[in-house]
């Protein structure tokens, strides 16, 4: 969705706040480890922690600026599993991530006398460590690595175990387990050009990592939105992790674990619990950049119906806009009346509609109402240092950007949504898609004449096809088919925010390349140098609020490209502009695991079949099956490559049908997992080592994953093959379709003859799965389907599970339904509670897997069942019992 990569060389300017007499040492020979560091003085106890002054311990290094002579340290045991450490300049209020963007945890119940992790320190020179109480292990240790704190360079370094298992520090397309030998993770949000290349900074900033050992897992979160490099290095046998940050403060949270799921929950308590999404958001979504008019969009919907492929939500990219201006529709290609008719038809079929909204507002007085209304409010745009509007280039040509820190901007944004998406007079969308919010800009140096630059780049692009006839009837119909089978201005000591003395490894030419310049000023005095990485998340918050006001009381569904820590509390995320190549198909798994398992953004997925370049039938077929186990499942590609809707190839269509059938039957299992994530942060996708933390073979696996805690997904990941090597931990697994047993031995097993329309899916022993008895075309239809219970015992013959049902759309639920399942000793107990009206839904059957011989007797609530109600399958070694119990009933099923 981006123009060809263009060089952007910023003016050699600086924002001058003098550091008199300082010569910046900028050559690579400077040994930062030889800097003096600090001594801790005036150490005193405070409530649940300690505080101290840190005084420069010797001659200043002045590596990238003047070393601060005095700092302030505060350590707080916020909970028994969380330590909060801050190092700040006591003389000046340096920039911190605003509370309004990242609310801090409110409840503290920690006790420094009995924590699960401890903060220990050495006074001279100052160093600190975090240790685990139960094992006395050192988890974070700065001994031998002096602290460096300069206006535009902060450095903290910790020793790590050899061959450390480090995960996180996203967004990236590296392997899920980061190589500890020589990895630099740069955090600076950018519009990645030409795909999502490995080893570079991408759209989002999540400065948190999990470190896993056989003895436990812990987490480290640095709450800092400035650009940074985090370096993993192994030198002379010693491994380390080093933060190199170009502003702000040191604001660390240390999380004790000890299990990986514990760390995920503890991070959720800091970053915010994930938002609940509407049930329909878990259906299949279809989009393309390049649908030329409303009729083509409607025809795609009709084609999905004709192909018998369930489609939940149709999307439209920027094509609908008039000359690419946000909050407009092209009156010839996407006329309002036809758009309203199409949305009405979709809603009548139980389907949804989503449209793209970009943040950049075209500077077109009298043409762009969004621009005129922003101007009428006194200008809600980001500003140059001289107070003038900052201008850049995006799709409509010369643009401005909303200043999310301006107190007028939320009202402005809500009003634009209210006007354009008004259900009575506008386009009644069900969700929003926000893009280009790193923020992205196409303007090239010197950008002194944006209008001329827009002409040279051909912005806005012209239409290349004639408009559709105004008399065309929509091909959708109104019936869904049935399936066949408040921060104050901060002072800073920055000398140069356009070209800071320490240059992070930004894949763009410099910090301001292809984005809003870092010297741009917000209405509250903050500068973009500090807040750049917050733009996407702040736009997400404003969009969520705007959508919530359109439909009060209902959950919002918003997908964004750029995020910061905590974004999952408001929105979902797609993994950006990938390519239709097998490498990006494989990378998508690690990308999902980062966001869903670590960053607390569970509604995540890739562009299925790839965004850029031409896909192939086999790649798209494989991706259709893998995509069905993305929390966010959307087929989306670019303008230019061949169309790739699932119905374009028979193989892909069948692959989609097969995969959606499994997804939809599992949808309530997964919806229950999402609800649990909202309650306590339990990850909805998990790498294998989350459930097998002592299995060292699993630590590097990122081509398999767990959908929820109990469904093992093992896709074929190579081109033109029908086999895959699957790792089975030392546990029992059951094939999802055939129920065949695999007794895992902590080794790989080669699976063969995997058709392009299939994907290996296994049930992990120890779960009772609530499944819909069959799939449906829409999620509204699906919610009317009965259930069956599949009992997959572990090696001890036990299993458990749960089911959560609500109305699927409301933020606050007046009534809910919950069922708990426990299986042990050949007995299943089902207990239900809650008053949500589930109608006439029933448990049709109970299937018990891993049964080696037919049962002699089966009792339901103490009554012997007739043999006609019981079926034993000697091939799959399973029992199927017809119970036909109301979903609201509690019952017991026992067999011998």
């Amino acid at each position: 969705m981006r123009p060809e990569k263009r060089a952007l060389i910023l003016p050699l300017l600086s924002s001058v706040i003098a550091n008199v007499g300082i010569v910046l040492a900028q050559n690579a020979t400077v040994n930062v480890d030889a800097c003096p560091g600090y001594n801790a003085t005036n150490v005193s106890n405070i409530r649940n922690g300690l505080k101290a002054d840190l005084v420069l311990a010797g001659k200043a290094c002045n590596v990238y600026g003047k070393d601060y002579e005095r700092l302030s340290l505060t350590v707080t045991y916020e909970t028994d599993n969380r330590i909060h450490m801050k190092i700040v300049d006591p003389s000046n209020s340096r920039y911190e991530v605003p509370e309004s963007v990242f609310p801090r945890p409110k409840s503290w119940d920690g006790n420094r006398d009995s924590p699960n992790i401890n903060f220990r320190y050495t006074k001279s020179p100052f160093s600190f460590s975090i240790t685990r109480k139960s094992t006395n292990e050192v988890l974070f240790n700065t001994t031998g690595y002096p602290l460096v704190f300069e206006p535009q360079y902060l450095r903290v370094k910790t020793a790590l175990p050899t061959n450390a298992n480090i995960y996180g520090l996203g967004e990236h397309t590296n392997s899920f387990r980061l190589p500890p030998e020589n990895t630099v993770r740069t955090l600076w949000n950018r519009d990645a050009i030409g795909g999502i290349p490995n080893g570079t900074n991408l759209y989002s900033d999540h400065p948190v990592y999990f470190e896993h050992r056989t003895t436990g897992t812990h987490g480290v979160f640095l709450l800092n939105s400035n650009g940074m490099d985090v370096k993993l290095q192994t030198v002379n046998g010693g491994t380390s992790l080093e933060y190199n940050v170009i502003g702000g403060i040191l604001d660390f949270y240390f999380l004790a674990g000890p299990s990986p799921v514990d760390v995920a929950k503890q991070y959720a308590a800091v970053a915010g619990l994930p938002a609940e999404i509407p049930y329909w958001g878990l259906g299949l979504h279809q989009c393309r950049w390049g649908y030329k008019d409303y009729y083509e969009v409607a025809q795609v919907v009709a084609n999905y119906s004709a192909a018998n492929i369930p489609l939940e939500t149709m999307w439209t990219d920027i094509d609908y806009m008039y000359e690419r201006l946000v909050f407009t529709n092209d009156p010839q290609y996407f006329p309002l009346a036809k758009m309203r008719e199409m949305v009405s038809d979709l809603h009548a079929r139980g389907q949804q509609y989503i449209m793209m909204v970009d943040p950049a507002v075209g500077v077109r007085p009298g043409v762009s109402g969004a621009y005129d209304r922003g101007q009428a409010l006194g200008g809600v745009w980001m500003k140059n240092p001289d107070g003038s509007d900052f201008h850049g280039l995006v799709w409509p040509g010369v643009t401005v950007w909303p200043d999310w820190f301006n107190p007028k901007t939320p009202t402005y944004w809500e009003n634009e949504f209210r006007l354009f998406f008004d259900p009575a007079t506008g386009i009644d969308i069900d969700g929003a898609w926000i893009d280009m919010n790193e923020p992205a800009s196409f303007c090239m140096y010197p950008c002194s004449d944006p209008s001329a630059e827009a002409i040279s780049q051909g912005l806005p692009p012209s239409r290349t096809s004639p408009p559709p006839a105004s008399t065309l009837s929509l091909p959708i119909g109104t019936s869904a088919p049935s399936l066949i089978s408040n921060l104050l201005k901060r002072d800073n000591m920055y000398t140069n925010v356009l070209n800071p003395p320490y240059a992070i490894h930004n894949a763009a030419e410099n910090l301001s390349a292809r984005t809003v310049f870092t010297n741009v000023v917000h209405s509250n005095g903050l500068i973009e140098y500090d807040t750049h990485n917050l733009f996407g998340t702040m736009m997400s918050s404003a969009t969520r609020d705007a959508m919530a006001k359109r439909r009060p009381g209902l959950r919002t569904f918003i997908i964004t490209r750029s995020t910061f820590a905590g974004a999952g509390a408001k929105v979902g995320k797609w993994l950006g502009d990938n390519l239709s190549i097998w490498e990006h198909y494989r990378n998508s798994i690690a990308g999902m695991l980062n966001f869903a398992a670590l960053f607390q953004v569970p509604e995540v997925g890739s562009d299925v079949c790839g965004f850029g370049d031409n896909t192939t039938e086999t790649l798209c077929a494989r991706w259709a099956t893998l995509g069905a186990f993305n929390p966010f499942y959307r087929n989306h590609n670019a303008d230019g490559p061949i169309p790739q809707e699932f119905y374009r190839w028979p193989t892909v269509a069948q692959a989609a049908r097969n995969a959606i059938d499994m997804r939809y039957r599992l949808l309530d299992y997964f919806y229950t997992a999402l609800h649990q994530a909202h309650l306590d942060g339990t990850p909805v996708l998990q790498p294998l080592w989350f459930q097998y933390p002592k299995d060292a073979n699993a630590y590097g696996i990122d081509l398999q994953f767990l959908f929820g805690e109990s469904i093992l997904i093992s896709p074929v990941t190579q081109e033109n093959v029908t086999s895959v090597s699957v790792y089975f931990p030392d546990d029992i697994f059951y094939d999802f379709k055939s129920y065949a047993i695999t007794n895992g031995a902590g080794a790989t097993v080669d699976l063969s003859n995997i058709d392009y329309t299939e994907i290996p899916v296994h049930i992990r022993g120890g779960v009772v799965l609530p499944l819909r008895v069959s799939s449906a075309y829409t999620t509204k239809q699906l919610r009317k389907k009965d259930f069956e219970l599949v009992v997959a015992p572990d090696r001890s013959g036990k299993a458990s599970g749960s089911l959560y049902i609500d109305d699927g759309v409301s933020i606050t639920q007046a009534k809910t339904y919950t069922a708990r399942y426990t299986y042990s000793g050949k007995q299943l107990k089902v207990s239900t509670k809650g008053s949500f009206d589930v109608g006439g839904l029933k448990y049709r059957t109970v299937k018990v897997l891993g049964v080696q011989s037919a049962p002699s007797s089966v009792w339901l609530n103490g009554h012997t069942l007739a043999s006609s109600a019981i079926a034993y399958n000697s091939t799959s070694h399973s029992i199927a019992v017809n119970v036909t119990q109301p979903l609201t009933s509690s019952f017991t099923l026992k067999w011998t």
Side-chain angles (χ1 to χ4, degrees):
M1 196 187 287
R2 320 289 169 242
E4 293 300 318
K5 185 172 183 180
R6 303 173 175 94
L8 176 60
I9 305 172
L10 293 173
L12 297 176
L13 303 173
S14 64
S15 60
V16 179
I17 302 174
N19 260 339
V20 179
I22 301 301
V23 177
L24 302 181
Q26 296 191 56
N27 64 69
T29 63
V30 174
N31 181 12
V32 182
D33 286 343
C35 289
Y38 292 80
N39 291 329
T41 64
N42 300 323
V43 180
S44 62
N45 292 332
I46 59 173
R47 178 180 177 268
N48 292 348
L50 63 88
K51 66 178 180 179
D53 294 328
L54 302 180
V55 180
L56 197 64
K59 182 180 179 181
C61 263
N62 299 335
V63 185
Y64 297 103
K66 183 178 180 181
D67 288 344
Y68 281 83
E69 294 185 0
R70 182 177 293 270
L71 302 169
S72 177
L73 165 72
T74 305
V75 178
T76 307
Y77 288 77
E78 292 188 344
T79 74
D80 290 347
N81 294 307
R82 184 174 77 230
I83 292 175
H84 186 192
M85 187 199 81
K86 290 181 71 171
I87 298 177
V88 302
D89 173 13
S91 302
N92 295 284
S93 295
R94 285 173 62 89
Y95 166 76
E96 301 179 33
V97 176
E99 179 88 17
S100 60
V101 181
F102 190 96
R104 307 313 193 257
K106 300 301 181 186
S107 60
W108 295 1
D109 58 4
N111 186 336
R112 61 177 297 176
D113 296 325
S114 59
N116 292 317
I117 50 174
N118 285 297
F119 178 91
R120 296 175 178 171
Y121 65 94
T122 300
K123 285 188 176 181
S124 181
F126 170 73
S127 65
F128 73 91
S129 63
I130 303 295
T131 60
R132 188 182 302 284
K133 182 179 179 181
S134 62
T135 62
N136 207 34
E137 285 180 283
V138 178
L139 308 180
F140 195 98
N141 184 12
T142 67
T143 301
Y145 302 125
L147 168 69
V148 179
F149 202 113
E150 298 171 354
Q152 291 180 263
Y153 181 70
L154 315 180
R155 185 260 201 170
V156 173
K157 187 175 182 179
T158 177
L160 292 175
T162 302
N163 202 31
N165 300 302
I166 303 293
Y167 308 84
L169 301 171
E171 181 180 7
H172 61 78
T173 53
N174 297 50
S175 57
F176 184 54
R177 177 183 177 270
L178 295 171
E181 293 81 17
N182 186 25
T183 296
V184 178
R185 285 297 314 116
T186 299
L187 305 184
W188 183 256
N189 297 351
R190 75 179 184 99
D191 175 13
I193 305 301
I196 43 177
N198 291 350
T200 68
N201 52 307
L202 298 175
Y203 311 102
S204 297
D205 174 14
H206 292 270
V208 60
Y209 74 82
F210 288 29
E211 185 196 339
H212 179 66
R213 307 175 185 181
T214 56
T215 52
T217 310
H218 65 277
V220 179
F221 172 47
L222 174 57
L223 179 53
N224 184 300
S225 64
N226 289 84
M228 68 180 76
D229 286 336
V230 185
K231 299 179 179 179
L232 283 165
Q233 295 176 309
T234 299
V235 179
N236 298 325
T239 303
S240 63
L241 183 148
E242 179 183 81
Y243 293 91
N244 298 265
V245 190
I246 61 174
I249 65 168
L250 296 174
D251 193 355
F252 281 99
Y253 291 85
F254 299 97
L255 309 173
S259 78
V261 173
D262 288 337
V263 178
K265 292 178 180 180
Q266 291 155 11
Y267 180 61
V270 176
L273 292 164
E276 288 196 286
I277 64 167
Y279 188 91
W280 60 259
L282 296 175
L284 171 66
H285 302 258
Q286 174 61 49
C287 184
R288 187 183 186 186
W289 173 41
Y291 289 139
K292 61 182 182 296
D293 54 51
Y294 76 90
Y295 189 82
E296 185 175 9
V297 174
Q299 189 63 59
V300 169
V301 177
N303 290 346
Y304 266 94
S305 297
N308 195 35
I309 301 173
L311 176 65
E312 184 71 20
T313 306
M314 190 65 201
W315 295 45
T316 305
D317 209 311
I318 57 175
D319 310 281
Y320 75 88
M321 300 176 185
Y322 175 70
E323 296 189 352
R324 299 298 192 261
L325 294 167
V326 69
F327 300 117
T328 68
N329 61 285
D330 191 301
Q332 289 186 295
Y333 292 81
F334 292 86
L336 181 59
K338 288 295 185 181
M339 294 294 286
R340 286 178 53 77
E341 180 185 352
M342 181 176 68
V343 173
S344 177
D345 288 353
L346 286 168
H347 289 170
R349 292 159 52 97
Q351 294 170 299
Q352 281 70 229
Y353 186 60
I354 288 176
M355 298 172 76
M356 163 81 79
V357 177
D358 278 345
V361 178
V363 181
R364 298 283 299 278
V367 178
S368 170
Y371 177 75
D372 292 341
R373 287 183 289 271
Q375 288 293 92
L377 289 173
V380 293
W381 322 121
M382 298 167 76
K383 306 292 184 182
N384 290 307
D386 65 4
S388 61
D389 293 342
F390 175 80
H391 285 174
L393 289 181
V394 193
W395 295 112
V398 180
T399 57
V400 289
W401 282 265
D403 177 3
W404 305 115
F405 286 104
N406 188 317
K408 297 179 182 179
T409 301
T411 300
Y412 162 75
W413 200 247
E414 289 167 9
N415 187 56
E416 294 305 311
F417 269 75
R418 181 184 63 82
L419 293 173
F420 189 66
F421 300 121
D422 189 305
T425 60
I427 303 172
D428 187 16
I429 58 172
D430 300 281
W433 173 25
I434 51 179
D435 188 17
M436 306 292 286
N437 52 352
E438 293 70 37
S441 174
F442 306 153
C443 198
M444 297 189 298
Y445 173 80
C447 204
S448 56
D449 189 348
S451 297
E453 182 69 16
I455 293 171
S456 70
Q457 294 192 29
L459 299 173
S462 300
R463 302 274 184 182
T464 58
S465 61
S470 60
T471 56
L472 288 176
S473 297
L474 293 179
I476 299 178
T478 57
S479 298
S482 298
L483 284 183
I484 302 170
S485 136
N486 302 332
L487 190 70
L488 297 177
K489 179 177 179 180
R490 299 291 187 184
D491 295 325
N492 62 64
M493 299 295 289
Y494 300 157
T495 58
N496 190 335
V497 298
L498 289 173
N499 295 285
Y502 176 84
I504 63 174
H505 290 62
N506 182 21
E509 289 79 6
N510 54 40
L511 293 185
S512 296
R514 298 186 58 82
T515 188
V516 170
F517 291 2
T518 49
N519 65 349
V520 160
V521 181
H522 295 280
S523 68
N524 59 355
L526 296 180
I527 58 174
E528 190 67 1
Y529 180 83
D530 290 322
T531 66
H532 166 85
N533 285 344
L534 303 179
F535 187 94
T537 289
M538 295 189 74
M539 182 188 182
S540 297
S541 296
T543 303
R544 177 179 180 270
D545 292 344
M547 289 293 290
K549 288 196 173 182
R550 290 182 63 249
R551 295 181 175 179
L554 298 185
R555 298 171 189 167
T556 58
F557 187 82
I558 298 162
I559 298 296
T560 183
R561 189 171 73 174
S562 181
T563 60
F564 181 70
K570 301 174 180 66
V571 295
K573 149 82 180 172
W574 102 99
L575 296 174
D577 297 342
N578 58 7
L579 300 178
S580 297
I581 57 177
W582 285 88
E583 180 186 16
H584 286 187
Y585 165 87
R586 292 187 290 269
N587 289 349
S588 71
I589 301 173
M592 287 192 300
L593 288 175
N594 270 304
F595 279 90
L598 307 185
F599 304 154
Q600 291 294 331
V601 186
E603 184 62 3
V604 62
S606 65
D607 279 348
V608 172
C609 299
F611 175 76
D613 295 342
N614 291 329
T615 194
T616 65
E617 182 174 2
T618 54
L619 174 59
C620 198
R622 291 294 189 208
W623 216 327
T625 62
L626 172 59
F629 298 96
N630 289 207
F632 173 53
Y633 185 21
R634 183 183 68 167
N635 181 330
H636 177 227
N637 75 316
D639 190 9
I642 61 173
Q644 62 182 38
E645 293 85 2
F646 289 155
Y647 54 74
R648 298 283 176 176
W649 303 271
T651 303
V652 178
Q654 190 58 49
R657 293 185 199 104
N658 293 347
I660 293 170
D661 178 81
M662 287 190 287
R663 178 185 178 90
Y664 278 23
R665 292 184 63 218
L666 281 163
L667 209 61
D668 293 86
Y669 155 82
F670 195 67
Y671 186 76
T672 300
L674 284 167
H675 178 67
Q676 191 62 43
H678 174 69
L679 295 179
D680 66 8
T682 300
V684 300
L685 297 186
Q686 299 183 17
L688 269 66
W689 61 267
F690 267 43
Q691 292 299 319
Y692 302 95
K694 294 187 180 300
D695 186 349
N697 295 327
Y699 298 167
I701 292 176
D702 58 10
L703 296 179
Q704 296 173 252
F705 62 97
L706 292 167
F707 185 70
E709 293 186 341
S710 302
I711 300 296
L712 175 63
I713 310 300
S714 307
V716 176
T717 56
Q718 298 296 325
E719 185 174 11
N720 296 327
V721 300
T722 56
S723 61
V724 63
S725 293
V726 175
Y727 182 77
F728 287 104
D730 187 8
D731 205 346
I732 189 169
F733 296 86
Y734 305 85
D735 185 273
F736 182 79
K737 290 187 174 182
S738 72
Y739 303 144
I741 297 173
T742 297
N743 270 302
T748 58
V749 175
D750 290 334
L751 303 182
S752 58
N753 298 318
I754 304 166
D755 194 88
Y756 286 99
T757 63
E758 301 292 344
I759 182 172
V761 178
H762 291 84
I763 304 168
R764 180 171 162 257
V767 67
V768 179
L769 285 176
L771 304 179
R772 299 283 181 171
V773 293
S774 62
S775 184
Y777 194 80
T778 68
T779 59
K780 285 184 173 64
Q781 294 174 347
L782 185 67
R783 288 173 65 87
K784 299 175 182 178
K785 299 285 186 178
D786 287 337
F787 284 86
E788 66 178 5
L789 296 177
V790 175
V791 180
D794 62 18
R795 285 174 171 166
S796 66
K798 297 180 180 179
S800 61
S802 62
L803 173 64
Y804 171 80
I805 298 177
D806 58 21
D807 70 11
V809 293
S810 299
I811 295 173
T812 302
Q813 296 289 335
K815 298 177 181 180
T816 62
Y817 166 93
T818 303
R820 303 289 179 188
Y821 315 116
T822 56
Y823 179 81
S824 180
K826 299 182 180 180
Q827 178 174 276
L828 173 68
K829 291 185 177 180
V830 176
S831 59
T832 64
K833 66 177 182 179
S835 55
F836 178 76
D837 183 7
V838 296
L841 292 179
K842 294 178 176 60
Y843 292 110
R844 291 261 198 92
T845 59
V846 172
K847 295 178 180 177
V848 184
L849 311 186
V851 180
Q852 297 306 310
S853 60
S856 57
S857 299
V858 178
W859 297 271
L860 177 62
N861 293 329
H863 301 288
T864 303
L865 290 178
S867 59
S868 59
I870 307 160
Y872 176 70
N873 188 315
S874 59
T875 302
S876 63
H877 298 292
S878 63
I879 305 169
V881 182
N882 184 353
V883 294
T884 316
Q885 292 291 298
L887 208 64
T888 53
S889 67
S890 296
F891 63 91
T892 299
L893 184 73
K894 185 176 177 64
W895 63 277
T896 58

